[in-house]
Amino acid sequence: MALQQTNEQRKHVIPTDRTCPFDPDPEYRRLREEEPISPIEFVLAPGRKDGWLVTRHEDVRAIMADPRFSHRNELLAQVISPRFELEKYEPQPAAPGSFVLMDAPEHTRYRRLLTGFFTVRKIQEYEPTLAGIIDGVLDEMAGLEPPVDLLPVFVQKVVYRSLHSVLGVPEEDIAALDEHFTVITRLDYTLEEFVHHSTVLNEALARMVKGLFEQPGDKLLGKLVKTGELTEEEVANIAWIAIGGSLDTTPNMLGLGTFALLEHPDQLKKIRENPELMDRAVEELLRYLTISHMGASRVALEDVEVGGTLIEAGQTVVLSLPAANRDPDHFEDPESFDVTRRSRRHVAFGFGIHQCLGQHLARATLRIGFQKLFDRFPDLRLAAAPEEIPLRDKAMHYGVYELPVTWG
Ligand code: HEM
């Protein structure tokens, strides 16, 4: 591999074409083998440099762990949706509280206020409440006449009610916010749609947080207010991240995961016969489906050599999580879905300082959710041909828009 690859070489856009609903674009296989760090074409903010698409597991993890790569908003060059009038667009530093788009030490200051709520132990303590929420939703679903769309009757209710009990935001408010998040997490919205939905969202969150400053309550957001360390704006932006980060991810994993299990009856049978396999099955679903299909972006703060390629200071790298999670150098027979696999060190939750804050909550929701869904509806099956299931391939996170199912 030449040390100095240039952007004059052939460029790529992020591959998103699928031949099977559960497999990433087959182009990733070629890239990982032939050009694991390949020049990529972005819609660029003015004056910014082009960058690279990274597809090998080893390189993706190395960059995510390397402080020479930044996630600061004002440095990110890539614009992946037409939300901005490009000629006027000047990336700004992240707003106070929007710690995802900051580096240490600013990132650390906010993250440390939150980690205590999401530890393995805290989530274990929360599991009985979560199981009760899921049982309640399944009771309601059992009263319906099939076929139904599993998303509103199961997936969304579970996530809305769980968010209500963790964060302290009423279920109806979360459902209302979800309508707006759904639009702005698409990749094809118009500028008008973006302005409208993000304005409504920000106003709703600001109102909600104002209420919390008057009456904090005893849930996560209220406890953040009670620390006395944060302004209303900071709490509103943290709420944005926690609610948006949950609504765009766990529901997609629950919906697409159910679809994948129904389409792999041999694997589903193994879990049903050996419930202790569920932990591994969830990790395997996270790896195999890798819903963060647009990857994670970072910007080089200095010239850095990765796998024999020079990444110049100021260039953006897109770390393809789906490609890394199908890397045969790390996973044996990576294209097969195998619930008995130990999916060690997959990157579905990222890696390094920005590794998913909500990963243990997500895992518990998936494990208990799938377990109880298939216990309660052992003959659950699709009520449409698999090729008719609408796929979220033009959205920040991949999943299904509907999942018609039936039973009985
Ligand atoms: C299956 C569900 C989920 C998946 C696949 C997922 C995936 C990810 C990924 C890949 C990242 C790293 C992004 C990067 O490095 O650029 C991330 C970060 C994050 N996730 Fe999740 N996530 C899930 C659920 C959740 C939930 C339930 C929450 C709720 C709190 C959450 C909150 C966050 C936050 C706050 C970050 C940013 C952390 C930081 O910058 O320090 N996620 N997630």
Side-chain angles (χ1 to χ4, degrees):
M1 167 80 46
L3 185 65
Q4 201 88 28
Q5 270 189 334
T6 71
N7 286 357
E8 277 71 58
Q9 288 173 290
R10 196 160 60 81
K11 291 180 176 182
H12 307 280
V13 291
I14 298 175
T16 54
D17 287 344
R18 290 173 185 261
T19 46
C20 157
F22 311 121
D23 292 333
D25 193 319
E27 171 69 357
Y28 279 125
R29 211 173 306 159
R30 192 193 67 72
L31 286 174
R32 205 173 37 228
E33 278 165 25
E34 295 173 15
E35 293 181 89
I37 300 186
S38 49
I40 189 170
E41 212 161 62
F42 299 130
V43 179
L44 273 179
R48 299 301 154 128
K49 292 186 180 176
D50 246 329
W52 305 91
L53 181 64
V54 182
T55 43
R56 275 193 188 154
H57 184 271
E58 189 187 342
D59 296 335
V60 165
R61 286 213 6 150
I63 292 176
M64 286 189 139
D66 189 334
R68 292 174 297 174
F69 287 92
S70 167
H71 204 211
R72 270 159 52 199
N73 196 47
E74 68 274 30
L75 301 180
L76 290 168
Q78 179 198 13
V79 180
I80 50 179
S81 47
R83 76 180 87 167
F84 304 108
E85 290 172 82
L86 275 181
E87 63 284 1
K88 293 191 200 149
Y89 175 56
E90 184 51 49
Q92 299 295 322
S98 294
F99 64 98
V100 177
L101 294 168
M102 297 175 184
D103 295 341
E106 292 79 10
H107 167 267
T108 328
R109 179 189 156 231
Y110 292 110
R111 177 131 178 165
R112 121 188 117 69
L113 291 173
L114 288 163
T115 38
F117 293 99
F118 294 100
T119 58
V120 173
R121 222 186 68 205
K122 267 276 150 30
I123 299 305
Q124 274 168 355
E125 286 166 14
Y126 174 62
E127 278 187 16
T129 309
L130 182 57
I133 289 172
I134 293 171
D135 282 334
V137 171
L138 289 171
D139 285 346
E140 289 168 29
M141 180 171 151
L144 299 173
E145 190 63 41
V148 299
D149 176 3
L150 194 73
L151 263 56
V153 307
F154 176 67
V155 168
Q156 285 161 355
K157 279 191 191 174
V158 166
V159 175
Y160 294 173
R161 288 181 196 176
S162 163
L163 270 180
H164 163 63
S165 87
V166 173
L167 298 180
V169 181
E171 186 185 340
E172 346 38 284
D173 290 1
I174 292 171
L177 294 173
D178 196 13
E179 283 184 28
H180 304 294
F181 277 117
T182 305
V183 178
I184 62 170
T185 49
R186 281 196 336 236
L187 300 175
D188 56 357
Y189 52 69
T190 63
L191 182 65
E192 290 71 30
E193 282 175 318
F194 176 74
V195 170
H196 168 70
H197 290 278
S198 54
T199 307
V200 178
L201 248 179
N202 289 337
E203 286 171 359
L205 287 171
R207 263 196 315 276
M208 194 184 84
V209 169
K210 199 170 235 351
L212 283 172
F213 271 75
E214 284 153 19
Q215 258 187 327
D218 61 351
K219 305 290 184 179
L220 188 154
L221 291 175
K223 285 185 176 166
L224 283 184
V225 169
K226 285 192 216 163
T227 62
E229 290 190 39
L230 297 166
T231 63
E232 283 186 25
E233 185 187 14
E234 288 174 311
V235 176
N237 286 327
I238 292 173
W240 200 113
I241 294 168
I243 299 171
S246 305
L247 290 177
D248 200 29
T249 52
T250 313
N252 284 317
M253 266 310 296
L254 269 176
L256 186 66
T258 305
F259 183 22
L261 288 169
L262 292 175
E263 285 297 287
H264 292 84
D266 55 328
Q267 299 299 311
L268 182 56
K269 187 162 173 270
K270 281 187 196 172
I271 311 171
R272 294 187 53 76
E273 287 170 356
N274 307 285
E276 70 282 0
L277 279 180
M278 188 50 96
D279 276 333
R280 281 195 204 174
V282 165
E283 293 310 309
E284 174 66 346
L285 282 166
L286 286 160
R287 178 197 75 84
Y288 181 66
L289 299 173
T290 314
I291 56 164
S292 303
H293 67 151
M294 302 307 290
S297 299
R298 301 289 188 268
V299 178
L301 294 172
E302 55 186 84
D303 289 359
V304 184
E305 190 203 316
V306 181
T309 300
L310 182 73
I311 317 276
E312 288 171 30
Q315 284 189 319
T316 294
V317 284
V318 175
L319 310 170
S320 174
L321 306 182
N325 276 343
R326 299 277 182 122
D327 186 342
D329 283 347
H330 189 76
F331 300 102
E332 209 183 312
D333 192 13
E335 306 294 340
S336 76
F337 173 50
D338 174 3
V339 295
T340 64
R341 180 199 298 276
R342 288 182 194 277
S343 292
R344 254 182 351 101
R345 307 205 308 171
H346 67 71
V347 287
F349 289 122
F351 185 60
I353 67 161
H354 292 285
Q355 193 174 34
C356 182
L357 181 72
Q359 58 181 296
H360 306 304
L361 175 61
R363 285 191 170 102
T365 312
L366 297 174
R367 177 169 38 80
I368 303 172
F370 291 132
Q371 192 78 62
K372 287 189 176 286
L373 176 68
F374 288 107
D375 278 355
R376 190 73 180 261
F377 299 94
D379 62 346
L380 192 80
R381 55 197 184 276
L382 288 183
E387 56 279 10
E388 285 168 11
I389 307 295
L391 303 170
R392 287 173 54 111
D393 48 2
K394 298 279 177 289
M396 285 298 288
H397 284 91
Y398 183 64
V400 293
Y401 279 116
E402 275 171 35
L403 194 67
V405 291
T406 190
W407 60 88

mmCIF file of all heavy atoms in Angstrom, residues 85-103:
data_model
loop_
_atom_site.group_PDB
_atom_site.id
_atom_site.type_symbol
_atom_site.label_atom_id
_atom_site.label_comp_id
_atom_site.label_asym_id
_atom_site.label_seq_id
_atom_site.Cartn_x
_atom_site.Cartn_y
_atom_site.Cartn_z
ATOM 1 N N GLU A 85 -27.634 25.399 3.416
ATOM 2 C CA GLU A 85 -27.281 26.042 2.153
ATOM 3 C C GLU A 85 -25.762 26.106 2.183
ATOM 4 O O GLU A 85 -25.176 26.899 2.919
ATOM 5 C CB GLU A 85 -27.869 27.448 2.103
ATOM 6 C CG GLU A 85 -29.375 27.441 1.969
ATOM 7 C CD GLU A 85 -29.940 28.831 2.117
ATOM 8 O OE1 GLU A 85 -29.934 29.588 1.138
ATOM 9 O OE2 GLU A 85 -30.363 29.170 3.224
ATOM 10 N N LEU A 86 -25.146 25.246 1.410
ATOM 11 C CA LEU A 86 -23.717 24.996 1.596
ATOM 12 C C LEU A 86 -22.843 26.243 1.552
ATOM 13 O O LEU A 86 -21.931 26.400 2.346
ATOM 14 C CB LEU A 86 -23.232 24.022 0.534
ATOM 15 C CG LEU A 86 -23.435 22.559 0.891
ATOM 16 C CD1 LEU A 86 -22.897 21.687 -0.210
ATOM 17 C CD2 LEU A 86 -22.769 22.234 2.204
ATOM 18 N N GLU A 87 -23.179 27.142 0.603
ATOM 19 C CA GLU A 87 -22.291 28.303 0.459
ATOM 20 C C GLU A 87 -22.298 29.185 1.713
ATOM 21 O O GLU A 87 -21.345 29.894 1.998
ATOM 22 C CB GLU A 87 -22.612 29.105 -0.815
ATOM 23 C CG GLU A 87 -23.976 29.750 -0.915
ATOM 24 C CD GLU A 87 -25.101 28.765 -1.237
ATOM 25 O OE1 GLU A 87 -24.863 27.554 -1.378
ATOM 26 O OE2 GLU A 87 -26.244 29.230 -1.321
ATOM 27 N N LYS A 88 -23.401 29.094 2.491
ATOM 28 C CA LYS A 88 -23.468 29.908 3.711
ATOM 29 C C LYS A 88 -23.048 29.126 4.956
ATOM 30 O O LYS A 88 -22.974 29.667 6.042
ATOM 31 C CB LYS A 88 -24.916 30.376 3.929
ATOM 32 C CG LYS A 88 -25.419 31.333 2.894
ATOM 33 C CD LYS A 88 -26.741 31.919 3.350
ATOM 34 C CE LYS A 88 -27.493 32.482 2.150
ATOM 35 N NZ LYS A 88 -28.922 32.381 2.312
ATOM 36 N N TYR A 89 -22.795 27.827 4.778
ATOM 37 C CA TYR A 89 -22.618 26.978 5.954
ATOM 38 C C TYR A 89 -21.220 27.115 6.545
ATOM 39 O O TYR A 89 -20.223 26.909 5.883
ATOM 40 C CB TYR A 89 -22.878 25.525 5.559
ATOM 41 C CG TYR A 89 -22.604 24.537 6.662
ATOM 42 C CD1 TYR A 89 -23.250 24.658 7.895
ATOM 43 C CD2 TYR A 89 -21.698 23.507 6.491
ATOM 44 C CE1 TYR A 89 -23.000 23.752 8.905
ATOM 45 C CE2 TYR A 89 -21.450 22.599 7.503
ATOM 46 C CZ TYR A 89 -22.106 22.733 8.701
ATOM 47 O OH TYR A 89 -21.857 21.843 9.707
ATOM 48 N N GLU A 90 -21.148 27.485 7.786
ATOM 49 C CA GLU A 90 -19.873 27.535 8.493
ATOM 50 C C GLU A 90 -20.038 26.719 9.775
ATOM 51 O O GLU A 90 -20.778 27.109 10.678
ATOM 52 C CB GLU A 90 -19.529 28.997 8.814
ATOM 53 C CG GLU A 90 -18.173 29.207 9.481
ATOM 54 C CD GLU A 90 -16.997 28.530 8.763
ATOM 55 O OE1 GLU A 90 -16.866 28.696 7.518
ATOM 56 O OE2 GLU A 90 -16.228 27.843 9.437
ATOM 57 N N PRO A 91 -19.399 25.537 9.855
ATOM 58 C CA PRO A 91 -19.597 24.702 11.045
ATOM 59 C C PRO A 91 -19.215 25.454 12.330
ATOM 60 O O PRO A 91 -18.212 26.156 12.365
ATOM 61 C CB PRO A 91 -18.649 23.522 10.813
ATOM 62 C CG PRO A 91 -18.331 23.541 9.370
ATOM 63 C CD PRO A 91 -18.462 24.955 8.907
ATOM 64 N N GLN A 92 -20.048 25.319 13.319
ATOM 65 C CA GLN A 92 -19.851 26.029 14.590
ATOM 66 C C GLN A 92 -19.435 25.030 15.669
ATOM 67 O O GLN A 92 -19.770 23.856 15.575
ATOM 68 C CB GLN A 92 -21.183 26.663 15.035
ATOM 69 C CG GLN A 92 -21.765 27.673 14.076
ATOM 70 C CD GLN A 92 -20.883 28.901 13.941
ATOM 71 O OE1 GLN A 92 -20.297 29.361 14.921
ATOM 72 N NE2 GLN A 92 -20.755 29.409 12.729
ATOM 73 N N PRO A 93 -18.774 25.504 16.729
ATOM 74 C CA PRO A 93 -18.509 24.597 17.853
ATOM 75 C C PRO A 93 -19.836 24.075 18.411
ATOM 76 O O PRO A 93 -20.867 24.745 18.297
ATOM 77 C CB PRO A 93 -17.827 25.505 18.891
ATOM 78 C CG PRO A 93 -17.329 26.680 18.125
ATOM 79 C CD PRO A 93 -18.237 26.854 16.943
ATOM 80 N N ALA A 94 -19.792 22.881 18.980
ATOM 81 C CA ALA A 94 -21.014 22.286 19.526
ATOM 82 C C ALA A 94 -21.628 23.216 20.575
ATOM 83 O O ALA A 94 -20.916 23.909 21.308
ATOM 84 C CB ALA A 94 -20.672 20.953 20.160
ATOM 85 N N ALA A 95 -22.970 23.224 20.635
ATOM 86 C CA ALA A 95 -23.657 24.060 21.631
ATOM 87 C C ALA A 95 -23.363 23.512 23.031
ATOM 88 O O ALA A 95 -23.071 22.323 23.183
ATOM 89 C CB ALA A 95 -25.156 24.005 21.354
ATOM 90 N N PRO A 96 -23.457 24.369 24.067
ATOM 91 C CA PRO A 96 -23.184 23.892 25.438
ATOM 92 C C PRO A 96 -24.028 22.656 25.767
ATOM 93 O O PRO A 96 -25.237 22.656 25.527
ATOM 94 C CB PRO A 96 -23.613 25.084 26.312
ATOM 95 C CG PRO A 96 -23.559 26.269 25.411
ATOM 96 C CD PRO A 96 -23.870 25.774 24.028
ATOM 97 N N GLY A 97 -23.381 21.603 26.254
ATOM 98 C CA GLY A 97 -24.108 20.369 26.598
ATOM 99 C C GLY A 97 -24.084 19.324 25.495
ATOM 100 O O GLY A 97 -24.271 18.138 25.764
ATOM 101 N N SER A 98 -23.857 19.728 24.239
ATOM 102 C CA SER A 98 -23.850 18.752 23.127
ATOM 103 C C SER A 98 -22.506 18.039 23.087
ATOM 104 O O SER A 98 -21.711 18.176 22.148
ATOM 105 C CB SER A 98 -24.092 19.457 21.788
ATOM 106 O OG SER A 98 -25.371 19.977 21.751
ATOM 107 N N PHE A 99 -22.268 17.235 24.113
ATOM 108 C CA PHE A 99 -20.923 16.703 24.356
ATOM 109 C C PHE A 99 -20.469 15.688 23.320
ATOM 110 O O PHE A 99 -19.274 15.444 23.165
ATOM 111 C CB PHE A 99 -20.836 16.114 25.769
ATOM 112 C CG PHE A 99 -21.737 14.930 25.989
ATOM 113 C CD1 PHE A 99 -21.239 13.648 25.892
ATOM 114 C CD2 PHE A 99 -23.084 15.094 26.303
ATOM 115 C CE1 PHE A 99 -22.062 12.553 26.096
ATOM 116 C CE2 PHE A 99 -23.910 14.008 26.506
ATOM 117 C CZ PHE A 99 -23.398 12.730 26.398
ATOM 118 N N VAL A 100 -21.425 15.072 22.594
ATOM 119 C CA VAL A 100 -21.048 14.097 21.573
ATOM 120 C C VAL A 100 -20.100 14.731 20.564
ATOM 121 O O VAL A 100 -19.179 14.083 20.057
ATOM 122 C CB VAL A 100 -22.311 13.591 20.839
ATOM 123 C CG1 VAL A 100 -21.948 12.639 19.722
ATOM 124 C CG2 VAL A 100 -23.253 12.925 21.812
ATOM 125 N N LEU A 101 -20.312 16.016 20.278
ATOM 126 C CA LEU A 101 -19.509 16.697 19.263
ATOM 127 C C LEU A 101 -18.407 17.546 19.896
ATOM 128 O O LEU A 101 -18.084 18.636 19.433
ATOM 129 C CB LEU A 101 -20.424 17.547 18.376
ATOM 130 C CG LEU A 101 -21.388 16.693 17.533
ATOM 131 C CD1 LEU A 101 -22.470 17.547 16.903
ATOM 132 C CD2 LEU A 101 -20.644 15.904 16.464
ATOM 133 N N MET A 102 -17.854 17.049 21.004
ATOM 134 C CA MET A 102 -16.731 17.713 21.668
ATOM 135 C C MET A 102 -15.631 16.681 21.901
ATOM 136 O O MET A 102 -15.882 15.481 21.878
ATOM 137 C CB MET A 102 -17.167 18.245 23.046
ATOM 138 C CG MET A 102 -18.241 19.308 23.010
ATOM 139 S SD MET A 102 -18.752 19.731 24.706
ATOM 140 C CE MET A 102 -20.073 20.895 24.344
ATOM 141 N N ASP A 103 -14.411 17.169 22.164
ATOM 142 C CA ASP A 103 -13.313 16.289 22.591
ATOM 143 C C ASP A 103 -13.075 16.513 24.082
ATOM 144 O O ASP A 103 -13.636 17.443 24.679
ATOM 145 C CB ASP A 103 -12.014 16.665 21.853
ATOM 146 C CG ASP A 103 -12.100 16.416 20.346
ATOM 147 O OD1 ASP A 103 -12.984 15.638 19.921
ATOM 148 O OD2 ASP A 103 -11.284 17.003 19.613
#
